[in-house]
Structures are given as C-alpha cells and as structure tokens.
Amino acid sequence: MAAKDNVKIAPASGKLGVLIPGIGAVSTTFIAGVEAIKRGLGLPVGSLTQLATIRLGKRTDGRSPKIKDFVPLAGLDQLVFGGWDIYEDTAYEAAVNAKVLEPALLSQLKEPLAAIKPMKAVFDHEYVRRINGPNVKTKGSKMDKAMELMDDIAQFKKSTGADRLIMIWCGSTEVFHKPGAVHETLEKFEEGLRQDDPEIAPSQIYAYAALKSGVPYANGAPNLTTDLPALLDLARDRNIPICGKDFKTGQTFMKTLLAPGFKARMLGINGWFSTNILGNRDGEVLEDPGSFKSKEETKLSVLDTILQPKLYPDLYENLYHVVRINYYPPRGDQKEGWDNIDIFGWLGYPMQIKVDFLCRDSILAAPLVLDLVLFLDLAQRSGMRGIQEWLSFYFKAPMHAPGLYPEHDIFIQLMKLKNTLRHMRGEDLITHLGLEYYD
Ligand SMILES: NC(=O)c1ccc[n+]([C@@H]2O[C@H](COP(=O)([O-])OP(=O)(O)OC[C@H]3O[C@@H](n4cnc5c(N)ncnc54)[C@H](O)[C@@H]3O)[C@@H](O)[C@H]2O)c1
C-alpha cells in the first residue's frame, strides 16, 4: 500500500520545453536519442528515469516499481526542444558534424532535428577562445543581451505551447574564473550586467535570464555559473531548483566507482595518473589552458573528498594526482581515458591497476541530460528550490550548501537520489540496516 505523499507534486501535464545553450555533440545526441526512442529505433540505455526501479518497503515486500511509475515525470513525447549556438547549423547538421550517431539513424530523424534552428548566442571570445561563429547577439550591454535571452525564452514558450521549461547548459567549457565582487549580491550582479563587467561570463547571463524567467537551470560544464551568491539567492528567492556541475560521464565516473572501493577495503594509494585523448570540438576547446583549468579543477576535486586524506594520512596523504587532456582529432567523440593507479596493501606492498576506458563521451552524457531535465522538472513541480543536492549523482563537482563538503561517492549519491524520491512519496527511507529480518 502506498504511503501518504510527503510532498505535494503538481501533475506533469502538457509540454515540457528543453532549452539548451550549445547545440553540439552532447545536446544533439540527447535530442536525436529522444526522437529515436520515441520511434522505437533504440533504447534509453543509461537513463535512470527510463529504466531504473526503486525498491519500496522491506526486501520481502516485493515492491520495486520503475522510477517513472513511482513519481510523476514528463514522458518523452511531451518534450520539445530549442537552443542557442554561435553556429547557424540546425540540430541535424550539428549532429552530422559531431559524428556521434550513424548517418543512417540520423537520416531517419532528419525532420525533427532540422526543425531545431539555434537562436543567436550570447558569446564572449575571452571565455571560449578556440572557436568563433556568426550566430551571436551583438547589440547593447550584457543586460540588454540578458533581456534578449528572456525574450527568446518567452517566444519559445509561446511558439511551442510548452507549459514548463528547463534550461541545461551543454555549451563549451568556459575559461576558469574565480567568483569576484560583482557576483556577491544580485544588486551588484545586475549593475555589472548594465556596466558590461568583464567578470560576468556568457553562461552566467543565460542562467540569470533563465532564473528571472522562472526556469530551472542545470550546468553540464565545469565553468562557474550558478555557483555564485548572486544567482544562488535569485534561485532561492524565486523558488527555482538548480544543479551542477560538469556531467560525470567517462573517467571521473570510473574514478568514483573505484576510489570508494579502495577506501572501503582500507587500501592505500600513492598515485593516480589520468590522461585522455579526444578529438571532438570539446577536446579542441579544452586545448586552451583557461578552459582546461576549469575542467582540471572539477576532475581533481573528486579524490580528496572521497578518500579523506586528513582522516587517513597513512593511506592517502601522499597521493599524487594528475589529470591530462589532449586534443587528438583522429578519435573524434570516441575518447580514450587511461588511468594508472599505484595502490598499496598489507605492510605497504605496492600494486598497480590500469584502466583503459575506450568510451563515447556523448553516448554517456545524453542519458544524463534526459534524467536531469525530467528530475529538475519534478523538483520544480514539487516546490523544491535552490541547490538540488540529490542530483549530485550526475555531476563531477556537485553543488552543495556552503559549509558542507560535496558527496562524490556514486553509491551514496544514488542512495540519496532514491531516498529523496521515497521521501517525496512518503515511503520509508531505506537505511540497509536490516536487523528486522533476523529478530
Ligand atoms: N560529453 C561528455 O561526456 C561531457 C562530460 C562532462 C561535461 N561535458 C561538457 O559538456 C559541454 C558540451 O560538450 P560537447 O561535447 O557537446 O561540446 P561541443 O563542442 O560539441 O558543443 C558545445 C557547443 O556549444 C557552443 N557554444 C559555445 N559557447 C556558447 C555560448 N556562449 N552560447 C551558445 N552556444 C555556445 C559551441 O559552438 C558548440 O557547438 C562541454 O562544456 C563539455 O565539457 C561533456
């Protein structure tokens, strides 16, 4: 028997509009994937919202509905898509260029993909240095551009008839910046927009426009966006959920699988050398040291939090952690991520582990985009606001409340996500204590 709902959740009726800055490899693989799945041309592999079940009650109860039957989520046929890019290519042309999906599959999806024409982007070459394109907003101050984005959002909503919207950044990784004085309060931020403050990045202008329009925002890249006091306050004041940052897909996904395992067994680690070769546009942008620095920060942050070297100095204090990314065009989107891990066991005896993950970046990222869109919409309809820590599962550098450390262990993240869903529906949280089976 279902328990009483803890949280009042508005129904997922009508269309859900997905607005994406960045019509590139990840976003077109996501959109094409949804269209393919709707037509029975593929399966939503990698998506919790489509495939995963959630256990309810005791292990003896036999209640494991699919997540999508347990909480009210928008269906794939309710999704409509739009976005912005500095290039004029439609989503079909961008998907063909990205070379992630087979041309034979794309040609079957040409109609819906070709209908998605990117709106003019808010772009600043200082923030993404390796690319340049013609499809950009050029007039006025940063505030004027934010207003234009708000107009785009309103127009999209009207023309598609969408009931609700979500924005998810799938744009290039911007150059590393630390928060500055202009980010301290909403007032300073808005003044900065009017004064064209160089510390305000394009992604922050999109996020500002989304939040001002009442639209939840997710950040799929590592750059500084909603993790700023000004935008955090705006999200809370307007009761809008946000989450980020940097999709956890290839190498960092592997890291957050392996590191908790070594720590669980109290095995030590001396060194972890991670290197990547990739040849897509993302790889090209990451050749720029400023963009790489944003990525390096999120990639490096993971191990420290999982391993807690201050609590376990004998095992992890001297860990030497290196991350490298090299642009290597022959591989396209099919990245190779190597990890050499120098571990040690009983009495300090050394051992080595080599992981060579021949992965497909956008194939791994697309289901994450889908889940984030559907879960952020659920959060919005459930009255949840501000940082959605339960969505940490999807990110390399999960956003978290000030004073808290982020949770990186993927199994704790999954438990947190499922317990949040149980909490919403008034079901018992699962602690895995299990003593009651042995009384
Ligand atoms: N694929 C993965 O596994 C993965 C994992 C984590 C993070 N990411 C991040 O996701 C993002 C997208 O990756 P991708 O492989 O699709 O890259 P991509 O280069 O194929 O696509 C990014 C697109 O964003 C556009 N763009 C750049 N600045 C813009 C702006 N200001 N406004 C609108 N459009 C803008 C570019 O023109 C490009 O078409 C990157 O930041 C990447 O680092 C990807």
Side-chain angles (χ1 to χ4, degrees), residues 53-117:
T53 59
I54 180 163
R55 183 190 122 200
L56 305 175
K58 295 188 171 160
R59 268 182 272 166
T60 44
D61 289 355
R63 294 169 64 212
S64 288
K66 280 195 163 178
I67 285 177
K68 67 176 178 179
D69 298 327
F70 177 58
V71 283
L73 298 176
L76 299 191
D77 51 7
Q78 289 169 276
L79 302 183
V80 285
F81 308 98
W84 298 264
D85 205 287
I86 66 169
Y87 299 107
E88 286 161 341
D89 293 347
T90 65
Y92 175 73
E93 289 158 342
V96 169
N97 291 340
K99 296 194 180 67
V100 177
L101 300 174
E102 298 291 333
L105 176 63
L106 287 178
S107 68
Q108 294 181 74
L109 307 169
K110 187 167 180 179
E111 196 193 323
L113 292 178
I116 301 171
K117 298 185 174 66

Side-chain angles (χ1 to χ4, degrees), residues 255-329:
K255 226 169 238 180
T256 58
L257 294 179
L258 292 172
F262 301 140
K263 186 177 160 214
R265 282 269 191 248
M266 290 285 103
L267 293 169
I269 312 177
N270 281 326
W272 198 312
F273 186 93
S274 302
T275 186
N276 298 271
I277 52 174
L278 76 162
N280 55 15
R281 193 182 281 157
D282 186 30
E284 194 176 351
V285 168
L286 292 172
E287 274 281 285
D288 177 71
S291 293
F292 173 69
K293 174 82 176 138
S294 296
K295 196 59 122 184
E296 190 185 25
E297 288 280 314
T298 59
K299 278 182 164 263
L300 285 178
S301 66
V302 171
L303 283 186
D304 239 29
T305 325
I306 293 180
L307 299 173
Q308 297 175 294
K310 287 207 170 68
L311 283 184
Y312 303 102
D314 294 340
L315 300 179
Y316 307 120
E317 196 176 37
N318 297 319
L319 168 58
Y320 197 85
H321 187 194
V322 182
V323 176
R324 293 277 175 270
I325 300 177
N326 283 98
Y327 178 51
Y328 182 61

